Amino acid sequence: MNAHPPLDQLRRPIHDLRISVTDRCNFRCSYCMPKEVYGEDYTFLPTSELLTFEEIHRLTRLFVSLGVSKIRLTGGEPLMRRGLPELVAKIGFLDGVEDIGLTTNGVLLGQQAEPLYEVGLRRLNVSLDALSPELFGRMNGRGIKPGFILKQIDHAIEAGFEVKVNMVVQRGLNESEILPMARYFKERNITLRFIEFMDVGNDNGWSFEKVVTKKDIMERLQSTFELEALDNNYFGEVAQRYRYKGSKAEVGFITSVSESFCSSCTRARLSSDGKFYTCLFASSGFDLRKMIRSGADDQSLLEAIRNVWEQRTDRYSDDRTEQTVRNRSKIGMSYIGG
């Protein structure tokens, strides 16, 4: 590891790197890529502007030398990036990488679960926001039914993966699905994580009124289940974890709105075109791809990464107000990764 791992202005280390491998997605979820904005004629990044696997591997190696030990591959929909197992294999061989995960909508798992498992990927987060076929089809903007995604989850588990399911809850839309989702995944001993609707990007029509908070969700769950709190697994863990009493099944909460976790945020983000972001709600990033393609050596890249992190003061969720939501331009989730 590089001497003296960097700390930002709030004394937060850099432990997690989230890598967006593509800005494309086969869903049009309203909270991420609403079809009214990302229509059939929407122009995504050309292949030439995406980081190559060699460039991603090189940058990941440098981030790991500065203290990163957890890697998560995201998108867009990462399974749409051709040859992804090749990248997983490259990253998995890096000394210092303790964990690689991948976030997906699950549509392509039937084709790709085994090849990814064979090269060392072990953890998947699958996004699923409802069990109602009509509602989920409407939410994903493609009419995909939940039963299809559930089959892909079963397939991935049979292949050996540890799977967690992420559910974004929006008031007036899918809060009625909280208990059905909890029952379904508890019975199968699959961790379900409820995510408060966040104001990522500028296209999802976010407002405080649409947020279903952890407190609201807990009240619904406790009407049926008894939950016991669990300790965090590590510093900077995002989810607040609970176990259903008398069961091994867990449920988690990601509370970016009602109970922010900025003070322990150790996550860096690398966009699919090579920009380094220090916050999910960032307005701009530092262009590492430009440096690479201009011939920068490893030491120059390391110094740039270190300098960006050491100047970091991000605490957006601590400071979120109606005014900041209206006035701040934020990069889209499909571009930066969740």
Side-chain angles (χ1 to χ4, degrees), residues 51-89:
L51 287 176
T52 66
F53 287 169
E54 290 74 19
E55 289 168 336
I56 293 174
H57 175 259
R58 181 184 179 190
L59 288 174
T60 302
R61 174 172 54 81
L62 297 177
F63 274 98
V64 169
S65 76
L66 293 174
V68 164
S69 59
K70 292 174 64 66
I71 308 292
R72 176 159 294 278
L73 301 178
T74 71
E77 169 49 51
L79 298 186
M80 293 185 72
R81 180 76 186 258
R82 290 184 180 179
L84 195 62
E86 176 190 344
L87 177 63
V88 173

Side-chain angles (χ1 to χ4, degrees), residues 77 79 102 104-116 121 124-126 148-149 151-156 161 163:
E77 169 49 51
L79 298 186
L102 181 142
T104 175
N105 59 32
V107 170
L108 299 175
L109 275 176
Q111 305 169 25
Q112 301 198 34
E114 283 84 1
L116 287 167
L121 189 69
L124 298 171
N125 286 3
V126 180
F148 179 77
I149 305 302
K151 286 181 182 178
Q152 308 312 302
I153 291 172
D154 291 342
H155 178 78
F161 283 100
V163 175

Side-chain angles (χ1 to χ4, degrees), residues 28-242:
R28 289 295 181 269
C29 299
S30 58
Y31 56 81
C32 182
M33 296 178 68
K35 58 186 177 182
E36 295 79 12
V37 177
Y38 298 86
E40 298 302 324
D41 58 347
Y42 185 83
T43 302
F44 291 95
L45 291 169
T47 301
S48 61
E49 292 189 18
L50 298 177
L51 287 176
T52 66
F53 287 169
E54 290 74 19
E55 289 168 336
I56 293 174
H57 175 259
R58 181 184 179 190
L59 288 174
T60 302
R61 174 172 54 81
L62 297 177
F63 274 98
V64 169
S65 76
L66 293 174
V68 164
S69 59
K70 292 174 64 66
I71 308 292
R72 176 159 294 278
L73 301 178
T74 71
E77 169 49 51
L79 298 186
M80 293 185 72
R81 180 76 186 258
R82 290 184 180 179
L84 195 62
E86 176 190 344
L87 177 63
V88 173
K90 284 177 177 290
I91 292 174
F93 279 113
L94 290 173
D95 187 28
V97 173
E98 299 174 0
D99 179 80
I100 306 176
L102 181 142
T103 298
T104 175
N105 59 32
V107 170
L108 299 175
L109 275 176
Q111 305 169 25
Q112 301 198 34
E114 283 84 1
L116 287 167
Y117 192 85
E118 287 171 5
V119 295
L121 189 69
R122 294 294 181 266
R123 296 198 309 109
L124 298 171
N125 286 3
V126 180
S127 300
L128 181 67
D129 298 320
L131 292 178
S132 160
E134 185 279 329
L135 177 57
F136 182 63
R138 180 156 44 93
M139 290 185 71
N140 65 55
R142 294 298 197 215
I144 302 293
K145 299 296 187 278
F148 179 77
I149 305 302
L150 295 173
K151 286 181 182 178
Q152 308 312 302
I153 291 172
D154 291 342
H155 178 78
I157 291 172
E158 289 170 6
F161 283 100
E162 173 194 341
V163 175
K164 294 177 182 176
V165 173
N166 291 342
M167 176 186 181
V168 176
V169 187
Q170 299 178 60
R171 190 172 302 284
L173 185 59
N174 66 332
E175 70 263 55
S176 63
E177 293 288 302
I178 291 170
L179 285 176
M181 290 277 287
R183 290 191 192 97
Y184 184 92
F185 291 106
K186 174 180 180 292
E187 289 172 2
R188 289 157 180 79
N189 195 26
I190 297 173
T191 297
L192 173 64
R193 303 196 303 183
F194 295 103
I195 302 176
E196 293 179 348
F197 180 36
M198 293 181 285
D199 55 315
V200 181
N202 304 296
D203 302 319
N204 65 5
W206 186 92
S207 71
F208 281 106
E209 288 72 28
K210 294 182 181 179
V211 177
V212 182
T213 66
K214 173 197 171 186
K215 179 177 180 293
D216 298 329
I217 297 169
M218 280 288 283
E219 287 175 356
R220 286 179 181 253
L221 292 176
Q222 288 173 330
S223 69
T224 303
F225 307 105
E226 191 172 352
L227 299 173
E228 50 190 11
L230 300 173
D231 293 333
N232 289 342
N233 286 316
Y234 55 90
F235 178 81
E237 183 172 23
V238 170
Q240 298 179 26
R241 300 167 52 233
Y242 292 79

Side-chain angles (χ1 to χ4, degrees), residues 31 195-202 204 206 254-258 260-262 265 267 269 277-285 312 314-320 324-325 327-333 336-338:
Y31 56 81
I195 302 176
E196 293 179 348
F197 180 36
M198 293 181 285
D199 55 315
V200 181
N202 304 296
N204 65 5
W206 186 92
I254 298 177
T255 60
S256 175
V257 179
S258 68
S260 71
F261 37 82
C262 294
C265 178
R267 287 171 294 286
R269 290 176 163 81
Y277 292 88
T278 57
C279 181
L280 179 59
F281 305 97
S283 299
S284 61
R312 178 188 190 227
D314 302 297
R315 44 177 298 179
Y316 175 82
S317 291
D318 285 347
D319 299 329
R320 180 190 285 108
T324 62
V325 171
N327 295 343
R328 179 165 174 161
S329 177
K330 300 182 291 293
I331 200 71
M333 182 181 283
I336 195 175

